[in-house]
Amino acid sequence: MEPWATSDQVWQGALIFGRIGAVLLMLPGVGESYVPPRIRLSLALVVTLALWPVVSGALPPLPETLGAMAGWIIREVIVGLMIGALLRAFTTALSTAGEIVSLQTALSFAQTANPLQAQPGTTISAFLMLLGTTLIFATNTHHLFIAGLVGSYELIAPAKPLITGDFTELAIRTLGDSFMLGVQLSAPVIVFALIFNLASGLVGRVMPQFQVFFAAAPLGIILGLSVFALSLGVLGTVFIDRYQALARIFAGGAGG
């Protein structure tokens, strides 16, 4: 072990830190606003030191000009933001599912502060976002993030051109899949709301004198939340399986 770092080693560490820091800035749980910046920077530095012996061979040599150095650093930061944005975008499936469940149970006006988003959301949506973040760490899915960081140096090597076209296609597909998954996760409540509203309308037609709204509103909330609670286990399992499949896209580069 050398007691000092050479200029090439400092340059390689800066490149790795640029990508790792950008990814950790966007990751669910780690990149939230309530996490102190010192914690995130310290974690990025530790991960950089851990990955340097593994990925240093894929890094370009030290450029001769300051402009070239800045260009490489900016490129690595952009790559890190791209990867982190994809991993964060998929968590919007839980937000979509929470909004749909809130609409179907007449709780869409129950707004609360969502610590995982920049704006308030429905209570159910905030609950599902926190549940998803908890499942990510409880199932050790964050280990796939570390493997994905290593694999990203094979999928998006610094010495190769930036694959903006492939990333755009993957981003569009990820957003589409996340919205579809959000609808699928809320499907039990959607089916219940459809049947319940049809039954309420039928009762209103058969018994015009009966105050359907006053009886159906609280009953719909109670039964809707009950169906949501019963499907919560399947909801979490399906989400974490799909999220792990997305993380393995980047982690596959490390395994190959």
Side-chain angles (χ1 to χ4, degrees):
M1 296 293 292
E2 298 177 352
W4 63 87
T6 63
S7 58
D8 290 334
Q9 292 174 341
V10 174
W11 163 246
Q12 292 175 352
L15 279 181
I16 299 174
F17 183 82
R19 179 180 295 197
I20 300 302
V23 172
L24 294 181
L25 186 66
M26 302 291 293
L27 279 183
V30 179
E32 310 303 338
S33 58
Y34 55 79
V35 178
R38 292 183 179 179
I39 300 298
R40 283 181 284 179
L41 290 175
S42 300
L43 180 60
L45 180 59
V46 171
V47 176
T48 299
L49 295 176
L51 296 186
W52 175 78
V54 181
V55 302
S56 59
L59 300 177
L62 178 64
E64 298 180 357
T65 62
L66 181 61
M69 293 175 60
W72 279 111
I73 294 294
I74 293 174
R75 182 188 187 278
E76 288 302 292
V77 171
I78 292 175
V79 171
L81 292 176
M82 289 164 48
I83 298 174
L86 282 177
L87 296 175
R88 175 172 286 272
F90 198 77
T91 59
T92 58
L94 294 175
S95 179
T96 302
E99 295 291 339
I100 295 176
V101 171
S102 299
L103 286 172
Q104 299 301 324
T105 56
L107 294 176
S108 58
F109 288 102
Q111 301 285 318
T112 186
N114 192 339
L116 304 182
Q117 292 181 340
Q119 60 184 1
T122 60
T123 304
I124 297 179
S125 177
F127 168 74
L128 287 180
M129 293 290 287
L130 289 173
L131 175 65
T133 304
T134 304
L135 287 176
I136 288 174
F137 290 94
T139 58
N140 292 329
T141 305
H142 59 288
H143 294 173
L144 291 176
F145 296 161
I146 306 299
L149 293 175
V150 179
S152 68
Y153 283 91
E154 298 184 15
L155 297 176
I156 313 176
K160 295 181 181 179
L162 191 61
I163 49 176
T164 55
D166 294 340
F167 170 76
T168 303
E169 180 182 354
L170 181 60
I172 294 174
R173 187 170 71 246
T174 300
L175 289 174
D177 292 342
S178 65
F179 181 80
M180 182 182 299
L181 179 61
V183 176
Q184 293 172 350
L185 294 178
S186 59
V189 181
I190 294 177
V191 174
F192 159 76
L194 178 62
I195 297 175
F196 184 80
N197 289 331
L198 288 176
S200 300
L202 181 61
V203 171
R205 295 288 294 179
V206 175
M207 304 173 59
Q209 304 298 328
F210 181 70
Q211 299 294 331
V212 179
F213 176 78
F214 293 100
L219 190 61
I221 294 175
I222 295 175
L223 295 179
L225 291 179
S226 300
V227 173
F228 172 70
L230 292 175
S231 62
L232 198 58
V234 178
L235 184 150
T237 302
V238 173
F239 168 76
I240 203 64
D241 288 342
R242 297 286 295 275
Y243 197 77
Q244 288 177 351
L246 175 65
R248 289 191 182 97
I249 294 178
F250 299 98

PDB file of all heavy atoms in Angstrom, residues 100-137:
ATOM      1  N   ILE A 100     -55.050   5.877  -7.176  1.00  0.00           N
ATOM      2  CA  ILE A 100     -56.238   5.173  -7.675  1.00  0.00           C
ATOM      3  C   ILE A 100     -57.063   4.624  -6.522  1.00  0.00           C
ATOM      4  O   ILE A 100     -58.306   4.737  -6.510  1.00  0.00           O
ATOM      5  CB  ILE A 100     -55.807   4.047  -8.638  1.00  0.00           C
ATOM      6  CG1 ILE A 100     -55.158   4.648  -9.889  1.00  0.00           C
ATOM      7  CG2 ILE A 100     -57.006   3.186  -9.018  1.00  0.00           C
ATOM      8  CD1 ILE A 100     -54.614   3.611 -10.853  1.00  0.00           C
ATOM      9  N   VAL A 101     -56.391   4.039  -5.546  1.00  0.00           N
ATOM     10  CA  VAL A 101     -57.121   3.517  -4.375  1.00  0.00           C
ATOM     11  C   VAL A 101     -57.829   4.659  -3.641  1.00  0.00           C
ATOM     12  O   VAL A 101     -58.979   4.512  -3.196  1.00  0.00           O
ATOM     13  CB  VAL A 101     -56.162   2.774  -3.435  1.00  0.00           C
ATOM     14  CG1 VAL A 101     -56.850   2.418  -2.124  1.00  0.00           C
ATOM     15  CG2 VAL A 101     -55.626   1.517  -4.115  1.00  0.00           C
ATOM     16  N   SER A 102     -57.184   5.792  -3.520  1.00  0.00           N
ATOM     17  CA  SER A 102     -57.801   6.935  -2.849  1.00  0.00           C
ATOM     18  C   SER A 102     -59.032   7.418  -3.609  1.00  0.00           C
ATOM     19  O   SER A 102     -60.053   7.783  -3.006  1.00  0.00           O
ATOM     20  CB  SER A 102     -56.788   8.072  -2.711  1.00  0.00           C
ATOM     21  OG  SER A 102     -55.678   7.671  -1.940  1.00  0.00           O
ATOM     22  N   LEU A 103     -58.954   7.441  -4.930  1.00  0.00           N
ATOM     23  CA  LEU A 103     -60.106   7.865  -5.724  1.00  0.00           C
ATOM     24  C   LEU A 103     -61.271   6.882  -5.582  1.00  0.00           C
ATOM     25  O   LEU A 103     -62.436   7.287  -5.468  1.00  0.00           O
ATOM     26  CB  LEU A 103     -59.711   7.990  -7.195  1.00  0.00           C
ATOM     27  CG  LEU A 103     -58.841   9.199  -7.574  1.00  0.00           C
ATOM     28  CD1 LEU A 103     -58.365   9.078  -9.015  1.00  0.00           C
ATOM     29  CD2 LEU A 103     -59.610  10.499  -7.370  1.00  0.00           C
ATOM     30  N   GLN A 104     -60.965   5.594  -5.575  1.00  0.00           N
ATOM     31  CA  GLN A 104     -62.017   4.589  -5.512  1.00  0.00           C
ATOM     32  C   GLN A 104     -62.647   4.485  -4.134  1.00  0.00           C
ATOM     33  O   GLN A 104     -63.786   4.020  -4.006  1.00  0.00           O
ATOM     34  CB  GLN A 104     -61.455   3.222  -5.923  1.00  0.00           C
ATOM     35  CG  GLN A 104     -60.912   3.163  -7.330  1.00  0.00           C
ATOM     36  CD  GLN A 104     -61.958   3.516  -8.376  1.00  0.00           C
ATOM     37  OE1 GLN A 104     -63.132   3.196  -8.246  1.00  0.00           O
ATOM     38  NE2 GLN A 104     -61.515   4.193  -9.429  1.00  0.00           N
ATOM     39  N   THR A 105     -61.941   4.899  -3.103  1.00  0.00           N
ATOM     40  CA  THR A 105     -62.477   4.844  -1.738  1.00  0.00           C
ATOM     41  C   THR A 105     -62.912   6.218  -1.224  1.00  0.00           C
ATOM     42  O   THR A 105     -63.160   6.367  -0.037  1.00  0.00           O
ATOM     43  CB  THR A 105     -61.420   4.269  -0.782  1.00  0.00           C
ATOM     44  OG1 THR A 105     -60.214   5.041  -0.868  1.00  0.00           O
ATOM     45  CG2 THR A 105     -61.125   2.814  -1.129  1.00  0.00           C
ATOM     46  N   ALA A 106     -62.991   7.210  -2.107  1.00  0.00           N
ATOM     47  CA  ALA A 106     -63.444   8.565  -1.758  1.00  0.00           C
ATOM     48  C   ALA A 106     -62.552   9.224  -0.717  1.00  0.00           C
ATOM     49  O   ALA A 106     -63.021  10.022   0.096  1.00  0.00           O
ATOM     50  CB  ALA A 106     -64.898   8.530  -1.265  1.00  0.00           C
ATOM     51  N   LEU A 107     -61.251   8.881  -0.728  1.00  0.00           N
ATOM     52  CA  LEU A 107     -60.304   9.472   0.210  1.00  0.00           C
ATOM     53  C   LEU A 107     -59.255  10.322  -0.509  1.00  0.00           C
ATOM     54  O   LEU A 107     -58.179  10.573   0.035  1.00  0.00           O
ATOM     55  CB  LEU A 107     -59.600   8.373   1.016  1.00  0.00           C
ATOM     56  CG  LEU A 107     -60.482   7.555   1.962  1.00  0.00           C
ATOM     57  CD1 LEU A 107     -59.662   6.443   2.613  1.00  0.00           C
ATOM     58  CD2 LEU A 107     -61.100   8.437   3.025  1.00  0.00           C
ATOM     59  N   SER A 108     -59.575  10.754  -1.732  1.00  0.00           N
ATOM     60  CA  SER A 108     -58.596  11.503  -2.508  1.00  0.00           C
ATOM     61  C   SER A 108     -58.337  12.890  -1.933  1.00  0.00           C
ATOM     62  O   SER A 108     -57.306  13.506  -2.224  1.00  0.00           O
ATOM     63  CB  SER A 108     -59.058  11.632  -3.961  1.00  0.00           C
ATOM     64  OG  SER A 108     -60.333  12.262  -4.028  1.00  0.00           O
ATOM     65  N   PHE A 109     -59.252  13.416  -1.110  1.00  0.00           N
ATOM     66  CA  PHE A 109     -59.063  14.734  -0.504  1.00  0.00           C
ATOM     67  C   PHE A 109     -58.272  14.659   0.799  1.00  0.00           C
ATOM     68  O   PHE A 109     -57.946  15.696   1.373  1.00  0.00           O
ATOM     69  CB  PHE A 109     -60.408  15.412  -0.249  1.00  0.00           C
ATOM     70  CG  PHE A 109     -61.083  15.871  -1.507  1.00  0.00           C
ATOM     71  CD1 PHE A 109     -62.117  15.145  -2.058  1.00  0.00           C
ATOM     72  CD2 PHE A 109     -60.668  17.027  -2.154  1.00  0.00           C
ATOM     73  CE1 PHE A 109     -62.745  15.556  -3.226  1.00  0.00           C
ATOM     74  CE2 PHE A 109     -61.284  17.452  -3.323  1.00  0.00           C
ATOM     75  CZ  PHE A 109     -62.325  16.712  -3.862  1.00  0.00           C
ATOM     76  N   ALA A 110     -57.971  13.458   1.243  1.00  0.00           N
ATOM     77  CA  ALA A 110     -57.168  13.302   2.469  1.00  0.00           C
ATOM     78  C   ALA A 110     -55.696  13.441   2.098  1.00  0.00           C
ATOM     79  O   ALA A 110     -55.005  12.469   1.819  1.00  0.00           O
ATOM     80  CB  ALA A 110     -57.444  11.949   3.115  1.00  0.00           C
ATOM     81  N   GLN A 111     -55.187  14.665   2.084  1.00  0.00           N
ATOM     82  CA  GLN A 111     -53.820  14.958   1.681  1.00  0.00           C
ATOM     83  C   GLN A 111     -52.898  14.960   2.907  1.00  0.00           C
ATOM     84  O   GLN A 111     -53.307  15.333   3.996  1.00  0.00           O
ATOM     85  CB  GLN A 111     -53.747  16.318   0.989  1.00  0.00           C
ATOM     86  CG  GLN A 111     -54.612  16.426  -0.254  1.00  0.00           C
ATOM     87  CD  GLN A 111     -54.023  15.687  -1.427  1.00  0.00           C
ATOM     88  OE1 GLN A 111     -52.819  15.751  -1.666  1.00  0.00           O
ATOM     89  NE2 GLN A 111     -54.860  14.962  -2.162  1.00  0.00           N
ATOM     90  N   THR A 112     -51.680  14.541   2.674  1.00  0.00           N
ATOM     91  CA  THR A 112     -50.681  14.549   3.725  1.00  0.00           C
ATOM     92  C   THR A 112     -49.314  14.806   3.111  1.00  0.00           C
ATOM     93  O   THR A 112     -49.127  14.659   1.895  1.00  0.00           O
ATOM     94  CB  THR A 112     -50.656  13.208   4.487  1.00  0.00           C
ATOM     95  OG1 THR A 112     -49.758  13.295   5.589  1.00  0.00           O
ATOM     96  CG2 THR A 112     -50.210  12.083   3.584  1.00  0.00           C
ATOM     97  N   ALA A 113     -48.350  15.191   3.927  1.00  0.00           N
ATOM     98  CA  ALA A 113     -46.992  15.447   3.433  1.00  0.00           C
ATOM     99  C   ALA A 113     -46.315  14.131   3.094  1.00  0.00           C
ATOM    100  O   ALA A 113     -46.232  13.233   3.929  1.00  0.00           O
ATOM    101  CB  ALA A 113     -46.185  16.212   4.479  1.00  0.00           C
ATOM    102  N   ASN A 114     -45.843  14.027   1.857  1.00  0.00           N
ATOM    103  CA  ASN A 114     -45.153  12.823   1.402  1.00  0.00           C
ATOM    104  C   ASN A 114     -43.649  13.071   1.462  1.00  0.00           C
ATOM    105  O   ASN A 114     -43.114  13.862   0.692  1.00  0.00           O
ATOM    106  CB  ASN A 114     -45.572  12.482  -0.026  1.00  0.00           C
ATOM    107  CG  ASN A 114     -45.104  11.096  -0.443  1.00  0.00           C
ATOM    108  OD1 ASN A 114     -44.183  10.542   0.137  1.00  0.00           O
ATOM    109  ND2 ASN A 114     -45.749  10.543  -1.447  1.00  0.00           N
ATOM    110  N   PRO A 115     -42.915  12.416   2.365  1.00  0.00           N
ATOM    111  CA  PRO A 115     -41.472  12.669   2.489  1.00  0.00           C
ATOM    112  C   PRO A 115     -40.669  12.188   1.295  1.00  0.00           C
ATOM    113  O   PRO A 115     -39.510  12.554   1.148  1.00  0.00           O
ATOM    114  CB  PRO A 115     -41.100  11.893   3.757  1.00  0.00           C
ATOM    115  CG  PRO A 115     -42.120  10.823   3.862  1.00  0.00           C
ATOM    116  CD  PRO A 115     -43.393  11.409   3.329  1.00  0.00           C
ATOM    117  N   LEU A 116     -41.252  11.374   0.425  1.00  0.00           N
ATOM    118  CA  LEU A 116     -40.534  10.852  -0.723  1.00  0.00           C
ATOM    119  C   LEU A 116     -40.820  11.630  -1.994  1.00  0.00           C
ATOM    120  O   LEU A 116     -40.296  11.282  -3.061  1.00  0.00           O
ATOM    121  CB  LEU A 116     -40.889   9.373  -0.945  1.00  0.00           C
ATOM    122  CG  LEU A 116     -40.657   8.454   0.255  1.00  0.00           C
ATOM    123  CD1 LEU A 116     -40.996   7.028  -0.107  1.00  0.00           C
ATOM    124  CD2 LEU A 116     -39.223   8.553   0.728  1.00  0.00           C
ATOM    125  N   GLN A 117     -41.658  12.656  -1.911  1.00  0.00           N
ATOM    126  CA  GLN A 117     -41.968  13.479  -3.063  1.00  0.00           C
ATOM    127  C   GLN A 117     -41.884  14.943  -2.663  1.00  0.00           C
ATOM    128  O   GLN A 117     -41.936  15.291  -1.493  1.00  0.00           O
ATOM    129  CB  GLN A 117     -43.361  13.164  -3.629  1.00  0.00           C
ATOM    130  CG  GLN A 117     -43.465  11.778  -4.258  1.00  0.00           C
ATOM    131  CD  GLN A 117     -44.843  11.512  -4.821  1.00  0.00           C
ATOM    132  OE1 GLN A 117     -45.809  12.171  -4.453  1.00  0.00           O
ATOM    133  NE2 GLN A 117     -44.930  10.547  -5.719  1.00  0.00           N
ATOM    134  N   ALA A 118     -41.779  15.790  -3.663  1.00  0.00           N
ATOM    135  CA  ALA A 118     -41.622  17.219  -3.396  1.00  0.00           C
ATOM    136  C   ALA A 118     -42.952  17.910  -3.119  1.00  0.00           C
ATOM    137  O   ALA A 118     -42.967  19.088  -2.768  1.00  0.00           O
ATOM    138  CB  ALA A 118     -40.934  17.898  -4.578  1.00  0.00           C
ATOM    139  N   GLN A 119     -44.053  17.216  -3.243  1.00  0.00           N
ATOM    140  CA  GLN A 119     -45.364  17.817  -3.045  1.00  0.00           C
ATOM    141  C   GLN A 119     -46.242  16.869  -2.237  1.00  0.00           C
ATOM    142  O   GLN A 119     -45.987  15.666  -2.194  1.00  0.00           O
ATOM    143  CB  GLN A 119     -46.012  18.105  -4.409  1.00  0.00           C
ATOM    144  CG  GLN A 119     -46.200  16.865  -5.262  1.00  0.00           C
ATOM    145  CD  GLN A 119     -46.750  17.184  -6.632  1.00  0.00           C
ATOM    146  OE1 GLN A 119     -46.974  18.347  -6.950  1.00  0.00           O
ATOM    147  NE2 GLN A 119     -46.976  16.175  -7.457  1.00  0.00           N
ATOM    148  N   PRO A 120     -47.276  17.420  -1.591  1.00  0.00           N
ATOM    149  CA  PRO A 120     -48.169  16.557  -0.804  1.00  0.00           C
ATOM    150  C   PRO A 120     -48.927  15.586  -1.700  1.00  0.00           C
ATOM    151  O   PRO A 120     -49.133  15.837  -2.890  1.00  0.00           O
ATOM    152  CB  PRO A 120     -49.113  17.557  -0.123  1.00  0.00           C
ATOM    153  CG  PRO A 120     -48.437  18.875  -0.217  1.00  0.00           C
ATOM    154  CD  PRO A 120     -47.607  18.841  -1.446  1.00  0.00           C
ATOM    155  N   GLY A 121     -49.334  14.506  -1.111  1.00  0.00           N
ATOM    156  CA  GLY A 121     -50.114  13.505  -1.830  1.00  0.00           C
ATOM    157  C   GLY A 121     -51.163  12.910  -0.915  1.00  0.00           C
ATOM    158  O   GLY A 121     -51.295  13.307   0.248  1.00  0.00           O
ATOM    159  N   THR A 122     -51.907  11.984  -1.453  1.00  0.00           N
ATOM    160  CA  THR A 122     -52.919  11.330  -0.633  1.00  0.00           C
ATOM    161  C   THR A 122     -52.253  10.491   0.453  1.00  0.00           C
ATOM    162  O   THR A 122     -51.094  10.068   0.318  1.00  0.00           O
ATOM    163  CB  THR A 122     -53.830  10.445  -1.496  1.00  0.00           C
ATOM    164  OG1 THR A 122     -53.032   9.446  -2.134  1.00  0.00           O
ATOM    165  CG2 THR A 122     -54.521  11.276  -2.566  1.00  0.00           C
ATOM    166  N   THR A 123     -52.992  10.242   1.499  1.00  0.00           N
ATOM    167  CA  THR A 123     -52.448   9.479   2.623  1.00  0.00           C
ATOM    168  C   THR A 123     -52.061   8.060   2.209  1.00  0.00           C
ATOM    169  O   THR A 123     -51.007   7.550   2.598  1.00  0.00           O
ATOM    170  CB  THR A 123     -53.469   9.435   3.764  1.00  0.00           C
ATOM    171  OG1 THR A 123     -53.825  10.769   4.133  1.00  0.00           O
ATOM    172  CG2 THR A 123     -52.914   8.713   4.966  1.00  0.00           C
ATOM    173  N   ILE A 124     -52.895   7.423   1.399  1.00  0.00           N
ATOM    174  CA  ILE A 124     -52.611   6.058   0.959  1.00  0.00           C
ATOM    175  C   ILE A 124     -51.381   6.037   0.060  1.00  0.00           C
ATOM    176  O   ILE A 124     -50.548   5.124   0.133  1.00  0.00           O
ATOM    177  CB  ILE A 124     -53.835   5.461   0.251  1.00  0.00           C
ATOM    178  CG1 ILE A 124     -55.014   5.369   1.232  1.00  0.00           C
ATOM    179  CG2 ILE A 124     -53.516   4.096  -0.333  1.00  0.00           C
ATOM    180  CD1 ILE A 124     -56.277   4.820   0.616  1.00  0.00           C
ATOM    181  N   SER A 125     -51.244   7.044  -0.804  1.00  0.00           N
ATOM    182  CA  SER A 125     -50.071   7.116  -1.672  1.00  0.00           C
ATOM    183  C   SER A 125     -48.783   7.275  -0.860  1.00  0.00           C
ATOM    184  O   SER A 125     -47.775   6.612  -1.135  1.00  0.00           O
ATOM    185  CB  SER A 125     -50.221   8.275  -2.660  1.00  0.00           C
ATOM    186  OG  SER A 125     -49.077   8.409  -3.466  1.00  0.00           O
ATOM    187  N   ALA A 126     -48.815   8.159   0.140  1.00  0.00           N
ATOM    188  CA  ALA A 126     -47.631   8.334   0.996  1.00  0.00           C
ATOM    189  C   ALA A 126     -47.312   7.048   1.755  1.00  0.00           C
ATOM    190  O   ALA A 126     -46.136   6.683   1.915  1.00  0.00           O
ATOM    191  CB  ALA A 126     -47.869   9.483   1.968  1.00  0.00           C
ATOM    192  N   PHE A 127     -48.355   6.346   2.197  1.00  0.00           N
ATOM    193  CA  PHE A 127     -48.138   5.085   2.908  1.00  0.00           C
ATOM    194  C   PHE A 127     -47.492   4.041   2.004  1.00  0.00           C
ATOM    195  O   PHE A 127     -46.540   3.342   2.414  1.00  0.00           O
ATOM    196  CB  PHE A 127     -49.469   4.563   3.442  1.00  0.00           C
ATOM    197  CG  PHE A 127     -49.415   3.135   3.932  1.00  0.00           C
ATOM    198  CD1 PHE A 127     -48.792   2.813   5.123  1.00  0.00           C
ATOM    199  CD2 PHE A 127     -49.985   2.118   3.183  1.00  0.00           C
ATOM    200  CE1 PHE A 127     -48.728   1.502   5.562  1.00  0.00           C
ATOM    201  CE2 PHE A 127     -49.938   0.809   3.612  1.00  0.00           C
ATOM    202  CZ  PHE A 127     -49.307   0.500   4.812  1.00  0.00           C
ATOM    203  N   LEU A 128     -47.957   3.941   0.754  1.00  0.00           N
ATOM    204  CA  LEU A 128     -47.390   2.947  -0.150  1.00  0.00           C
ATOM    205  C   LEU A 128     -45.953   3.284  -0.533  1.00  0.00           C
ATOM    206  O   LEU A 128     -45.116   2.384  -0.691  1.00  0.00           O
ATOM    207  CB  LEU A 128     -48.261   2.840  -1.413  1.00  0.00           C
ATOM    208  CG  LEU A 128     -49.616   2.146  -1.234  1.00  0.00           C
ATOM    209  CD1 LEU A 128     -50.373   2.111  -2.545  1.00  0.00           C
ATOM    210  CD2 LEU A 128     -49.444   0.740  -0.678  1.00  0.00           C
ATOM    211  N   MET A 129     -45.637   4.570  -0.673  1.00  0.00           N
ATOM    212  CA  MET A 129     -44.263   4.949  -0.986  1.00  0.00           C
ATOM    213  C   MET A 129     -43.314   4.577   0.156  1.00  0.00           C
ATOM    214  O   MET A 129     -42.204   4.072  -0.070  1.00  0.00           O
ATOM    215  CB  MET A 129     -44.197   6.443  -1.274  1.00  0.00           C
ATOM    216  CG  MET A 129     -44.912   6.872  -2.547  1.00  0.00           C
ATOM    217  SD  MET A 129     -44.076   6.328  -4.048  1.00  0.00           S
ATOM    218  CE  MET A 129     -42.666   7.425  -4.041  1.00  0.00           C
ATOM    219  N   LEU A 130     -43.756   4.820   1.385  1.00  0.00           N
ATOM    220  CA  LEU A 130     -42.941   4.423   2.534  1.00  0.00           C
ATOM    221  C   LEU A 130     -42.836   2.904   2.643  1.00  0.00           C
ATOM    222  O   LEU A 130     -41.777   2.371   2.998  1.00  0.00           O
ATOM    223  CB  LEU A 130     -43.543   5.007   3.815  1.00  0.00           C
ATOM    224  CG  LEU A 130     -43.421   6.517   3.993  1.00  0.00           C
ATOM    225  CD1 LEU A 130     -44.204   6.976   5.220  1.00  0.00           C
ATOM    226  CD2 LEU A 130     -41.967   6.932   4.120  1.00  0.00           C
ATOM    227  N   LEU A 131     -43.920   2.208   2.320  1.00  0.00           N
ATOM    228  CA  LEU A 131     -43.894   0.746   2.339  1.00  0.00           C
ATOM    229  C   LEU A 131     -42.904   0.210   1.307  1.00  0.00           C
ATOM    230  O   LEU A 131     -42.130  -0.715   1.597  1.00  0.00           O
ATOM    231  CB  LEU A 131     -45.292   0.198   2.065  1.00  0.00           C
ATOM    232  CG  LEU A 131     -45.407  -1.328   1.926  1.00  0.00           C
ATOM    233  CD1 LEU A 131     -45.060  -2.016   3.239  1.00  0.00           C
ATOM    234  CD2 LEU A 131     -46.805  -1.722   1.463  1.00  0.00           C
ATOM    235  N   GLY A 132     -42.917   0.788   0.103  1.00  0.00           N
ATOM    236  CA  GLY A 132     -41.996   0.339  -0.929  1.00  0.00           C
ATOM    237  C   GLY A 132     -40.544   0.565  -0.544  1.00  0.00           C
ATOM    238  O   GLY A 132     -39.684  -0.298  -0.768  1.00  0.00           O
ATOM    239  N   THR A 133     -40.234   1.733   0.047  1.00  0.00           N
ATOM    240  CA  THR A 133     -38.870   2.006   0.485  1.00  0.00           C
ATOM    241  C   THR A 133     -38.437   1.033   1.574  1.00  0.00           C
ATOM    242  O   THR A 133     -37.293   0.548   1.581  1.00  0.00           O
ATOM    243  CB  THR A 133     -38.757   3.445   0.988  1.00  0.00           C
ATOM    244  OG1 THR A 133     -39.183   4.352  -0.033  1.00  0.00           O
ATOM    245  CG2 THR A 133     -37.334   3.777   1.384  1.00  0.00           C
ATOM    246  N   THR A 134     -39.349   0.723   2.491  1.00  0.00           N
ATOM    247  CA  THR A 134     -39.031  -0.240   3.549  1.00  0.00           C
ATOM    248  C   THR A 134     -38.772  -1.632   2.982  1.00  0.00           C
ATOM    249  O   THR A 134     -37.837  -2.330   3.406  1.00  0.00           O
ATOM    250  CB  THR A 134     -40.179  -0.293   4.563  1.00  0.00           C
ATOM    251  OG1 THR A 134     -40.430   1.018   5.081  1.00  0.00           O
ATOM    252  CG2 THR A 134     -39.850  -1.229   5.715  1.00  0.00           C
ATOM    253  N   LEU A 135     -39.578  -2.032   1.995  1.00  0.00           N
ATOM    254  CA  LEU A 135     -39.392  -3.358   1.391  1.00  0.00           C
ATOM    255  C   LEU A 135     -38.064  -3.450   0.649  1.00  0.00           C
ATOM    256  O   LEU A 135     -37.436  -4.519   0.619  1.00  0.00           O
ATOM    257  CB  LEU A 135     -40.550  -3.656   0.430  1.00  0.00           C
ATOM    258  CG  LEU A 135     -41.902  -3.971   1.068  1.00  0.00           C
ATOM    259  CD1 LEU A 135     -42.967  -4.140   0.001  1.00  0.00           C
ATOM    260  CD2 LEU A 135     -41.824  -5.222   1.931  1.00  0.00           C
ATOM    261  N   ILE A 136     -37.627  -2.353   0.046  1.00  0.00           N
ATOM    262  CA  ILE A 136     -36.360  -2.361  -0.684  1.00  0.00           C
ATOM    263  C   ILE A 136     -35.207  -2.734   0.244  1.00  0.00           C
ATOM    264  O   ILE A 136     -34.334  -3.541  -0.102  1.00  0.00           O
ATOM    265  CB  ILE A 136     -36.120  -0.998  -1.352  1.00  0.00           C
ATOM    266  CG1 ILE A 136     -37.078  -0.814  -2.534  1.00  0.00           C
ATOM    267  CG2 ILE A 136     -34.672  -0.873  -1.831  1.00  0.00           C
ATOM    268  CD1 ILE A 136     -37.016   0.562  -3.161  1.00  0.00           C
ATOM    269  N   PHE A 137     -35.211  -2.169   1.440  1.00  0.00           N
ATOM    270  CA  PHE A 137     -34.118  -2.450   2.375  1.00  0.00           C
ATOM    271  C   PHE A 137     -34.377  -3.741   3.155  1.00  0.00           C
ATOM    272  O   PHE A 137     -33.421  -4.420   3.544  1.00  0.00           O
ATOM    273  CB  PHE A 137     -33.940  -1.281   3.336  1.00  0.00           C
ATOM    274  CG  PHE A 137     -33.372  -0.051   2.678  1.00  0.00           C
ATOM    275  CD1 PHE A 137     -34.200   0.941   2.201  1.00  0.00           C
ATOM    276  CD2 PHE A 137     -32.009   0.103   2.531  1.00  0.00           C
ATOM    277  CE1 PHE A 137     -33.686   2.069   1.577  1.00  0.00           C
ATOM    278  CE2 PHE A 137     -31.474   1.224   1.921  1.00  0.00           C
ATOM    279  CZ  PHE A 137     -32.315   2.210   1.438  1.00  0.00           C
TER     280      PHE A 137
END
